[in-house]
Coordinates of all heavy atoms in Angstrom, one line a residue:
M70 N -2.7 16.2 49.7 CA -1.6 17.1 49.6 C -0.8 16.7 48.4 O -0.5 15.5 48.2 CB -0.7 17.1 50.8 CG 0.4 18.0 50.7 SD 1.2 18.1 52.3 CE 2.9 18.6 51.8
N71 N -0.5 17.6 47.5 CA 0.2 17.4 46.3 C 1.6 18.1 46.3 O 1.7 19.3 46.3 CB -0.6 17.9 45.1 CG 0.1 17.7 43.8 OD1 1.2 17.2 43.7 ND2 -0.7 18.0 42.8
P72 N 2.6 17.3 46.5 CA 4.0 17.9 46.6 C 4.4 18.5 45.3 O 5.4 19.3 45.3 CB 4.9 16.7 46.9 CG 4.2 15.5 46.4 CD 2.7 15.8 46.6
Y73 N 3.8 18.3 44.2 CA 4.2 18.8 42.9 C 3.5 20.1 42.5 O 3.8 20.7 41.6 CB 4.1 17.8 41.8 CG 4.8 16.6 42.2 CD1 4.1 15.4 42.6 CD2 6.2 16.5 42.0 CE1 4.9 14.3 42.9 CE2 6.9 15.4 42.4 CZ 6.2 14.2 42.8 OH 6.9 13.1 43.2
K74 N 2.5 20.5 43.3 CA 1.6 21.6 42.9 C 2.4 22.8 42.7 O 2.1 23.6 41.7 CB 0.5 21.7 44.0 CG -0.4 22.9 43.8 CD -1.4 23.0 45.0 CE -2.1 24.3 44.8 NZ -2.7 24.7 46.1
D75 N 3.3 23.2 43.6 CA 4.0 24.4 43.5 C 5.4 24.3 43.0 O 6.2 25.2 43.1 CB 4.1 25.1 44.9 CG 2.7 25.4 45.5 OD1 1.9 25.7 44.7 OD2 2.5 25.2 46.7
M76 N 5.6 23.2 42.2 CA 6.9 23.0 41.7 C 7.2 24.0 40.6 O 6.4 24.2 39.7 CB 7.0 21.6 41.1 CG 8.4 21.1 40.7 SD 8.4 19.5 40.0 CE 8.4 18.6 41.5
T77 N 8.4 24.6 40.6 CA 8.8 25.6 39.6 C 9.0 24.9 38.3 O 9.3 23.7 38.2 CB 10.0 26.4 40.0 OG1 11.1 25.5 40.0 CG2 9.8 27.2 41.3
L78 N 9.0 25.6 37.2 CA 9.4 25.0 35.9 C 10.7 24.4 35.9 O 11.0 23.3 35.3 CB 9.2 26.2 34.8 CG 9.4 25.7 33.4 CD1 8.4 24.6 33.0 CD2 9.2 26.9 32.4
A79 N 11.7 25.1 36.5 CA 13.0 24.6 36.5 C 13.1 23.3 37.2 O 13.8 22.3 36.9 CB 14.0 25.6 37.2
A80 N 12.3 23.2 38.3 CA 12.3 21.9 39.1 C 11.7 20.8 38.4 O 12.1 19.6 38.4 CB 11.6 22.2 40.5
R81 N 10.6 21.1 37.6 CA 9.9 20.1 36.8 C 10.9 19.6 35.7 O 11.0 18.5 35.4 CB 8.7 20.7 36.1 CG 7.6 20.9 37.1 CD 6.4 21.5 36.4 NE 5.5 21.9 37.4 CZ 4.2 22.2 37.1 NH1 3.7 22.0 36.0 NH2 3.4 22.6 38.1
R82 N 11.6 20.6 35.1 CA 12.6 20.2 34.0 C 13.7 19.3 34.7 O 14.1 18.3 34.0 CB 13.2 21.4 33.4 CG 12.3 22.1 32.4 CD 13.0 23.2 31.7 NE 12.0 23.9 30.8 CZ 12.2 25.1 30.5 NH1 13.2 25.8 30.9 NH2 11.2 25.7 29.7
A83 N 14.2 19.7 35.8 CA 15.2 18.8 36.4 C 14.7 17.4 36.7 O 15.5 16.5 36.6 CB 15.7 19.5 37.7
R84 N 13.5 17.4 37.2 CA 12.9 16.0 37.5 C 12.8 15.2 36.3 O 13.2 14.0 36.2 CB 11.6 16.3 38.2 CG 10.7 15.0 38.4 CD 9.4 15.3 39.0 NE 8.7 14.0 39.3 CZ 7.7 13.5 38.6 NH1 7.2 14.2 37.6 NH2 7.1 12.4 39.0
E85 N 12.3 15.8 35.2 CA 12.1 15.1 34.0 C 13.5 14.7 33.4 O 13.6 13.5 32.9 CB 11.4 16.0 32.9 CG 9.9 16.2 33.2 CD 9.2 17.1 32.3 OE1 9.8 17.5 31.3 OE2 8.1 17.4 32.7
S86 N 14.5 15.6 33.5 CA 15.8 15.2 33.1 C 16.4 14.0 33.9 O 17.0 13.1 33.3 CB 16.7 16.4 33.2 OG 18.1 16.1 32.9
R87 N 16.2 14.0 35.2 CA 16.7 12.9 36.0 C 16.0 11.6 35.5 O 16.7 10.5 35.4 CB 16.3 13.1 37.5 CG 17.3 13.9 38.3 CD 17.0 13.7 39.8 NE 15.7 13.3 40.2 CZ 14.7 14.1 40.6 NH1 14.9 15.4 40.6 NH2 13.6 13.6 41.0
W88 N 14.7 11.6 35.3 CA 14.0 10.4 34.9 C 14.2 10.0 33.5 O 13.9 8.9 33.1 CB 12.5 10.6 35.3 CG 12.2 10.4 36.7 CD1 12.1 11.3 37.6 CD2 12.1 9.1 37.4 NE1 11.8 10.7 38.9 CE2 11.9 9.4 38.7 CE3 12.2 7.8 37.0 CZ2 11.7 8.4 39.7 CZ3 12.0 6.8 37.9 CH2 11.8 7.1 39.3
N89 N 14.7 10.8 32.6 CA 14.9 10.5 31.2 C 16.4 10.1 30.9 O 16.7 10.0 29.8 CB 14.5 11.6 30.4 CG 13.0 11.8 30.3 OD1 12.2 10.8 30.3 ND2 12.6 13.1 30.2
A90 N 17.1 9.8 32.0 CA 18.6 9.5 31.8 C 18.7 8.2 31.0 O 17.7 7.3 31.2 CB 19.3 9.4 33.1
K91 N 19.7 8.0 30.3 CA 19.9 6.7 29.5 C 20.5 5.6 30.2 O 20.4 4.5 29.9 CB 20.7 7.0 28.2 CG 20.1 8.1 27.3 CD 18.8 7.7 26.8 CE 18.2 8.7 25.8 NZ 16.8 8.8 25.8
T92 N 21.2 5.9 31.3 CA 21.9 4.9 32.1 C 21.1 4.6 33.3 O 20.3 5.4 33.7 CB 23.3 5.2 32.5 OG1 23.3 6.5 33.2 CG2 24.2 5.4 31.3
C93 N 21.3 3.4 34.0 CA 20.5 3.0 35.1 C 21.4 2.6 36.3 O 22.6 2.3 36.2 CB 19.6 1.8 34.8 SG 18.4 2.1 33.5
A94 N 20.9 2.6 37.4 CA 21.5 2.1 38.7 C 20.5 1.4 39.5 O 19.3 1.6 39.5 CB 22.1 3.3 39.4
R95 N 21.1 0.5 40.3 CA 20.2 -0.2 41.3 C 20.5 0.5 42.7 O 21.6 0.6 43.1 CB 20.7 -1.7 41.4 CG 19.8 -2.5 42.4 CD 20.1 -4.0 42.3 NE 21.5 -4.3 42.5 CZ 22.0 -4.8 43.6 NH1 21.2 -5.1 44.7 NH2 23.3 -5.0 43.8
V96 N 19.4 0.9 43.2 CA 19.4 1.6 44.5 C 18.9 0.7 45.6 O 17.8 0.1 45.4 CB 18.6 3.0 44.5 CG1 18.7 3.7 45.8 CG2 19.1 3.8 43.4
V97 N 19.6 0.5 46.7 CA 19.2 -0.5 47.7 C 19.1 0.2 49.1 O 20.0 1.1 49.3 CB 20.3 -1.6 47.8 CG1 19.9 -2.6 49.0 CG2 20.5 -2.3 46.5
H98 N 18.1 0.0 49.8 CA 17.8 0.5 51.1 C 17.3 -0.6 52.0 O 16.5 -1.3 51.6 CB 16.9 1.7 51.1 CG 16.9 2.4 52.4 ND1 16.0 2.1 53.4 CD2 17.6 3.5 52.9 CE1 16.1 2.9 54.4 NE2 17.1 3.8 54.1
P99 N 17.8 -0.7 53.3 CA 17.3 -1.8 54.1 C 15.8 -1.8 54.4 O 15.2 -2.8 54.5 CB 18.1 -1.6 55.4 CG 19.0 -0.5 55.3 CD 18.8 0.1 53.9
R100 N 15.2 -0.6 54.5 CA 13.7 -0.5 54.8 C 12.9 -0.6 53.5 O 11.9 -1.2 53.5 CB 13.5 0.7 55.6 CG 12.0 0.8 56.0 CD 11.8 2.0 57.0 NE 12.2 3.2 56.4 CZ 11.8 4.4 56.9 NH1 11.0 4.4 57.9 NH2 12.1 5.4 56.2
F101 N 13.4 0.1 52.4 CA 12.5 0.2 51.3 C 12.7 -0.8 50.2 O 12.0 -1.0 49.3 CB 12.7 1.6 50.6 CG 12.2 2.7 51.5 CD1 13.1 3.5 52.3 CD2 10.8 3.0 51.6 CE1 12.6 4.5 53.1 CE2 10.3 3.9 52.4 CZ 11.2 4.8 53.2
G102 N 13.9 -1.6 50.3 CA 14.2 -2.7 49.3 C 15.1 -2.1 48.2 O 16.0 -1.3 48.6
E103 N 14.9 -2.6 47.0 CA 15.8 -2.1 45.9 C 14.9 -1.8 44.8 O 13.8 -2.3 44.5 CB 16.8 -3.2 45.6 CG 16.3 -4.5 45.0 CD 17.4 -5.4 44.6 OE1 18.1 -5.8 45.5 OE2 17.6 -5.7 43.4
V104 N 15.5 -1.0 43.9 CA 14.7 -0.5 42.7 C 15.8 -0.1 41.7 O 16.9 0.4 42.0 CB 13.8 0.6 43.0 CG1 14.6 1.9 43.5 CG2 12.9 1.0 41.8
I105 N 15.5 -0.3 40.4 CA 16.4 0.1 39.3 C 15.8 1.4 38.7 O 14.6 1.5 38.4 CB 16.5 -0.9 38.2 CG1 17.2 -2.1 38.9 CG2 17.3 -0.4 37.0 CD1 17.6 -3.2 38.0
V106 N 16.6 2.5 38.7 CA 16.2 3.8 38.4 C 17.1 4.4 37.4 O 18.2 4.0 37.3 CB 16.0 4.8 39.5 CG1 14.9 4.4 40.6 CG2 17.4 4.9 40.3
P107 N 16.6 5.4 36.5 CA 17.5 6.1 35.7 C 18.7 6.8 36.5 O 18.4 7.1 37.7 CB 16.7 7.1 35.0 CG 15.3 6.6 35.1 CD 15.3 5.8 36.4
H108 N 19.8 6.9 35.9 CA 21.0 7.3 36.6 C 21.9 8.2 35.9 O 22.4 7.9 34.8 CB 21.9 6.0 37.0 CG 23.1 6.3 37.6 ND1 24.3 6.5 36.9 CD2 23.6 6.4 39.0 CE1 25.3 6.7 37.7 NE2 24.9 6.6 39.0
T109 N 22.1 9.4 36.3 CA 23.1 10.3 35.8 C 24.2 10.6 36.8 O 25.4 11.0 36.5 CB 22.5 11.7 35.3 OG1 21.8 12.3 36.5 CG2 21.6 11.6 34.1
S110 N 23.9 10.4 38.1 CA 24.8 10.4 39.2 C 24.2 9.7 40.3 O 23.0 9.3 40.3 CB 25.0 11.9 39.6 OG 23.9 12.4 40.2
N111 N 25.0 9.4 41.4 CA 24.5 8.6 42.5 C 23.4 9.4 43.2 O 22.4 8.9 43.7 CB 25.6 8.2 43.4 CG 26.5 7.1 42.9 OD1 26.2 6.6 41.8 ND2 27.5 6.8 43.6
Y112 N 23.6 10.7 43.2 CA 22.6 11.6 43.9 C 21.3 11.6 43.1 O 20.2 11.4 43.7 CB 23.2 13.0 43.9 CG 22.3 14.0 44.5 CD1 21.9 14.0 45.8 CD2 21.7 15.1 43.7 CE1 21.0 15.0 46.4 CE2 20.9 16.0 44.2 CZ 20.5 16.0 45.5 OH 19.6 16.9 46.0
A113 N 21.3 11.6 41.8 CA 20.2 11.7 41.0 C 19.4 10.3 41.2 O 18.2 10.3 41.2 CB 20.5 11.9 39.6
A114 N 20.2 9.2 41.2 CA 19.5 7.9 41.4 C 18.9 7.8 42.7 O 17.8 7.3 42.9 CB 20.7 6.8 41.3
M115 N 19.5 8.4 43.8 CA 18.9 8.4 45.1 C 17.6 9.2 45.1 O 16.6 8.9 45.7 CB 19.9 8.9 46.1 CG 19.4 9.0 47.6 SD 20.5 9.8 48.7 CE 20.6 11.4 48.1
L116 N 17.6 10.4 44.5 CA 16.5 11.2 44.4 C 15.3 10.5 43.6 O 14.1 10.5 44.1 CB 16.7 12.5 43.6 CG 17.6 13.5 44.3 CD1 17.8 14.7 43.5 CD2 17.0 13.9 45.7
N117 N 15.6 9.8 42.6 CA 14.6 9.0 41.8 C 14.1 7.9 42.7 O 12.8 7.7 42.7 CB 15.3 8.4 40.5 CG 15.4 9.5 39.5 OD1 14.9 10.7 39.6 ND2 16.1 9.2 38.3
A118 N 14.9 7.1 43.4 CA 14.5 6.1 44.2 C 13.6 6.6 45.3 O 12.5 6.0 45.7 CB 15.7 5.3 44.8
A119 N 14.0 7.7 46.0 CA 13.1 8.3 47.0 C 11.8 8.7 46.6 O 10.8 8.4 47.1 CB 13.9 9.5 47.7
E120 N 11.8 9.3 45.4 CA 10.5 9.6 44.7 C 9.7 8.4 44.4 O 8.5 8.3 44.7 CB 10.7 10.4 43.5 CG 9.4 11.0 42.8 CD 9.6 11.8 41.6 OE1 10.7 12.2 41.3 OE2 8.6 12.0 41.0
Y121 N 10.3 7.3 43.9 CA 9.6 6.1 43.7 C 9.0 5.5 44.9 O 7.9 5.0 44.9 CB 10.5 5.1 42.9 CG 9.9 3.8 42.6 CD1 9.0 3.7 41.5 CD2 10.1 2.7 43.4 CE1 8.4 2.4 41.2 CE2 9.5 1.5 43.1 CZ 8.7 1.3 42.1 OH 8.1 0.2 41.8
W122 N 9.8 5.5 46.0 CA 9.4 4.9 47.2 C 8.4 5.8 47.9 O 7.8 5.4 48.9 CB 10.6 4.6 48.1 CG 11.4 3.5 47.6 CD1 11.0 2.3 46.9 CD2 12.8 3.3 47.7 NE1 12.0 1.5 46.7 CE2 13.1 2.0 47.2 CE3 13.8 4.1 48.3 CZ2 14.5 1.6 47.1 CZ3 15.1 3.6 48.3 CH2 15.4 2.4 47.7
G123 N 8.3 7.0 47.6 CA 7.4 8.0 48.2 C 7.8 8.5 49.5 O 7.1 8.8 50.5
C124 N 9.2 8.7 49.7 CA 9.8 9.2 50.9 C 10.6 10.3 50.6 O 10.9 10.6 49.4 CB 10.6 8.1 51.6 SG 12.0 7.5 50.7
D125 N 11.1 11.1 51.6 CA 12.0 12.2 51.3 C 13.4 11.6 51.2 O 13.7 10.6 52.0 CB 11.9 13.2 52.6 CG 12.7 14.5 52.3 OD1 13.9 14.4 52.3 OD2 12.0 15.5 52.1
W126 N 14.2 12.2 50.4 CA 15.6 11.6 50.2 C 16.4 11.7 51.5 O 17.3 10.9 51.7 CB 16.3 12.3 49.1 CG 16.7 13.7 49.3 CD1 15.7 14.8 49.0 CD2 17.8 14.3 49.8 NE1 16.4 16.0 49.3 CE2 17.7 15.7 49.8 CE3 19.0 13.8 50.2 CZ2 18.7 16.5 50.2 CZ3 20.0 14.6 50.6 CH2 19.9 16.0 50.6
L127 N 16.0 12.6 52.4 CA 16.8 12.7 53.7 C 16.5 11.5 54.6 O 17.3 11.2 55.5 CB 16.4 14.0 54.4 CG 16.9 15.3 53.8 CD1 16.3 16.4 54.4 CD2 18.4 15.3 53.7
E128 N 15.4 10.8 54.3 CA 15.1 9.6 55.1 C 16.0 8.4 54.7 O 16.2 7.5 55.5 CB 13.6 9.1 54.8 CG 12.6 10.0 55.4 CD 11.2 9.5 55.1 OE1 10.9 8.3 55.3 OE2 10.4 10.2 54.4
I129 N 16.5 8.4 53.5 CA 17.4 7.3 53.0 C 18.8 7.6 52.9 O 19.6 6.6 52.7 CB 16.8 6.8 51.7 CG1 16.9 7.8 50.6 CG2 15.4 6.3 51.9 CD1 16.6 7.3 49.2
I130 N 19.2 8.8 53.0 CA 20.6 9.2 52.6 C 21.6 8.5 53.4 O 22.7 8.1 52.9 CB 20.8 10.7 52.7 CG1 22.1 11.1 52.0 CG2 20.7 11.2 54.1 CD1 22.4 12.6 51.9
D131 N 21.4 8.1 54.7 CA 22.4 7.5 55.5 C 22.6 6.0 55.2 O 23.6 5.5 55.5 CB 22.1 7.7 57.0 CG 22.3 9.1 57.4 OD1 23.1 9.9 56.8 OD2 21.6 9.5 58.4
D132 N 21.6 5.4 54.6 CA 21.6 3.9 54.5 C 21.5 3.5 53.0 O 21.5 2.3 52.8 CB 20.5 3.3 55.3 CG 20.6 3.6 56.8 OD1 21.7 3.5 57.4 OD2 19.5 3.9 57.4
V133 N 21.4 4.4 52.1 CA 21.3 4.0 50.7 C 22.6 3.6 50.1 O 23.6 4.1 50.4 CB 20.5 5.1 49.9 CG1 21.5 6.2 49.6 CG2 19.9 4.6 48.7
E134 N 22.5 2.6 49.2 CA 23.6 2.1 48.3 C 23.2 2.3 46.9 O 22.1 1.9 46.5 CB 24.0 0.8 48.6 CG 24.5 0.5 50.0 CD 24.9 -0.9 50.4 OE1 24.7 -1.8 49.5 OE2 25.3 -1.2 51.5
V135 N 24.1 2.8 46.1 CA 23.8 2.8 44.6 C 24.8 2.0 43.8 O 26.0 2.2 44.1 CB 23.9 4.3 44.2 CG1 23.7 4.5 42.7 CG2 22.9 5.2 45.0
W136 N 24.4 1.1 43.0 CA 25.2 0.1 42.3 C 25.0 0.2 40.8 O 23.8 0.5 40.4 CB 24.9 -1.3 42.7 CG 25.1 -1.5 44.2 CD1 24.2 -1.4 45.3 CD2 26.3 -2.0 44.8 NE1 24.7 -1.7 46.5 CE2 26.1 -2.0 46.2 CE3 27.6 -2.3 44.3 CZ2 27.1 -2.4 47.1 CZ3 28.5 -2.6 45.2 CH2 28.3 -2.7 46.6
A137 N 26.0 0.1 40.2 CA 25.9 0.1 38.7 C 25.2 -1.1 38.2 O 25.3 -2.3 38.9 CB 27.4 0.1 38.1
V138 N 24.5 -1.1 37.0 CA 23.9 -2.2 36.4 C 24.3 -2.3 35.0 O 24.7 -1.3 34.4 CB 22.3 -2.2 36.6 CG1 21.9 -2.3 38.0 CG2 21.8 -0.9 36.0
G139 N 24.0 -3.4 34.4 CA 24.3 -3.5 33.0 C 23.5 -2.7 32.0 O 22.4 -2.2 32.4
P140 N 23.8 -2.6 30.7 CA 23.0 -1.8 29.9 C 21.7 -2.4 29.4 O 20.8 -1.8 29.0 CB 23.9 -1.8 28.6 CG 24.8 -3.0 28.7 CD 25.0 -3.2 30.2
D141 N 21.4 -3.7 29.8 CA 20.2 -4.3 29.6 C 19.2 -4.1 30.7 O 18.0 -4.6 30.6 CB 20.3 -5.8 29.2 CG 21.1 -6.5 30.5 OD1 21.7 -5.8 31.2 OD2 20.9 -7.8 30.6
A142 N 19.5 -3.4 31.8 CA 18.6 -3.1 32.9 C 17.5 -2.3 32.5 O 17.7 -1.4 31.7 CB 19.4 -2.6 34.1
V143 N 16.3 -2.5 33.1 CA 15.1 -1.8 32.7 C 14.7 -1.0 34.0 O 14.3 -1.6 35.0 CB 14.0 -2.7 32.3 CG1 12.8 -1.9 32.0 CG2 14.4 -3.5 31.0
P144 N 14.7 0.4 33.9 CA 14.3 1.1 35.1 C 12.8 1.1 35.2 O 12.0 0.9 34.3 CB 14.9 2.5 34.8 CG 14.8 2.6 33.3 CD 15.1 1.2 32.8
V145 N 12.4 1.5 36.5 CA 11.0 1.7 36.8 C 10.5 3.0 36.0 O 11.4 3.8 35.7 CB 10.7 1.8 38.3 CG1 11.0 0.5 39.0 CG2 11.5 2.9 38.9
K146 N 9.3 3.1 35.8 CA 8.7 4.3 35.2 C 8.7 5.4 36.2 O 8.5 5.3 37.5 CB 7.3 4.0 34.7 CG 7.3 3.0 33.7 CD 7.0 3.5 32.3 CE 6.8 2.4 31.4 NZ 7.6 2.3 30.3
M147 N 8.8 6.7 35.7 CA 8.7 7.9 36.5 C 7.3 7.9 37.2 O 6.2 7.7 36.5 CB 8.8 9.2 35.7 CG 8.7 10.4 36.5 SD 9.1 11.9 35.6 CE 7.8 12.0 34.4
P148 N 7.2 8.0 38.6 CA 5.9 8.1 39.2 C 5.0 9.3 38.7 O 5.5 10.3 38.5 CB 6.2 8.3 40.6 CG 7.7 7.9 40.8 CD 8.3 8.2 39.5
R149 N 3.8 8.9 38.5 CA 2.9 10.0 38.1 C 2.4 10.7 39.3 O 2.4 10.1 40.5 CB 1.7 9.4 37.4 CG 2.1 8.7 36.0 CD 0.9 8.2 35.4 NE 0.1 9.3 35.0 CZ -0.8 9.4 34.1 NH1 -1.1 8.3 33.4 NH2 -1.5 10.5 33.9
H150 N 2.0 11.9 39.2 CA 1.4 12.6 40.3 C 0.1 13.3 39.9 O -0.2 13.5 38.7 CB 2.4 13.7 40.8 CG 2.8 14.6 39.8 ND1 4.0 14.4 39.0 CD2 2.4 15.9 39.4 CE1 4.2 15.4 38.1 NE2 3.2 16.3 38.3
E151 N -0.8 13.4 40.8 CA -2.1 14.0 40.6 C -2.0 15.5 40.5 O -1.3 16.1 41.3 CB -3.1 13.7 41.7 CG -3.3 12.1 41.9 CD -4.0 11.5 40.7 OE1 -4.9 12.1 40.2 OE2 -3.6 10.4 40.4
R152 N -2.6 16.0 39.5 CA -2.7 17.5 39.4 C -4.0 18.0 39.9 O -5.0 17.4 39.6 CB -2.5 17.9 38.0 CG -1.1 17.6 37.5 CD -0.9 18.2 36.1 NE 0.5 18.0 35.7 CZ 1.0 18.6 34.7 NH1 0.3 19.4 33.9 NH2 2.2 18.4 34.4
N153 N -3.9 19.1 40.6 CA -5.2 19.7 41.0 C -5.6 20.7 40.0 O -5.4 21.9 40.1 CB -4.9 20.5 42.4 CG -4.7 19.5 43.5 OD1 -5.1 18.3 43.4 ND2 -4.0 19.9 44.5
E154 N -6.2 20.2 38.9 CA -6.7 21.0 37.9 C -8.2 21.2 38.0 O -8.9 20.3 38.6 CB -6.3 20.4 36.5 CG -4.8 20.3 36.3 CD -4.4 19.7 35.0 OE1 -5.4 19.3 34.2 OE2 -3.3 19.7 34.6
R155 N -8.7 22.2 37.3 CA -10.1 22.6 37.5 C -10.9 21.6 36.7 O -10.7 21.1 35.7 CB -10.4 24.0 37.0 CG -9.7 24.9 37.8 CD -10.0 26.3 37.3 NE -8.8 27.2 37.7 CZ -8.9 28.4 37.7 NH1 -9.9 29.1 37.4 NH2 -7.8 29.2 38.1

């Protein structure tokens, strides 16, 4: 199953914009651990972390913490997804 198959152009642009942010945040969750992701808002950081961890953001929203990091922090890369192309 490919969750990106039916993604609209606007949703793809929003995703790329989230992942291309210049600032970063550390997102921590008791079950999934921690990850440094691009950050434009705490919500965007949470969405990026959920995507990186491969879960729905609703699974983490109650227990997630978003922390500021310094300018030298290096975020994880945007997860790639398989395309169902011919």
Side-chain angles (χ1 to χ4, degrees):
M70 182 171 155
N71 183 353
Y73 304 103
K74 179 180 171 201
D75 297 325
M76 188 179 282
T77 65
L78 184 57
R81 287 181 194 197
R82 285 185 184 154
R84 177 179 182 253
E85 289 174 10
S86 177
R87 274 196 338 264
W88 280 100
N89 289 325
K91 301 296 183 212
T92 56
C93 298
R95 181 171 58 104
V96 181
V97 181
H98 188 273
R100 186 171 57 159
F101 294 103
E103 70 178 60
V104 65
I105 296 186
V106 294
H108 173 273
T109 53
S110 68
N111 289 356
Y112 177 67
M115 180 186 62
L116 291 178
N117 287 348
E120 183 177 348
Y121 178 79
W122 289 327
C124 65
D125 190 286
W126 66 273
L127 291 172
E128 292 179 55
I129 65 172
I130 192 168
D131 291 332
D132 301 316
V133 75
E134 295 178 1
V135 180
W136 297 92
V138 294
D141 57 337
V143 178
V145 295
K146 301 249 186 236
M147 180 172 67
R149 296 184 60 161
H150 55 273
E151 300 294 322
R152 290 189 177 191
N153 292 336
E154 295 179 358
R155 297 177 209 202

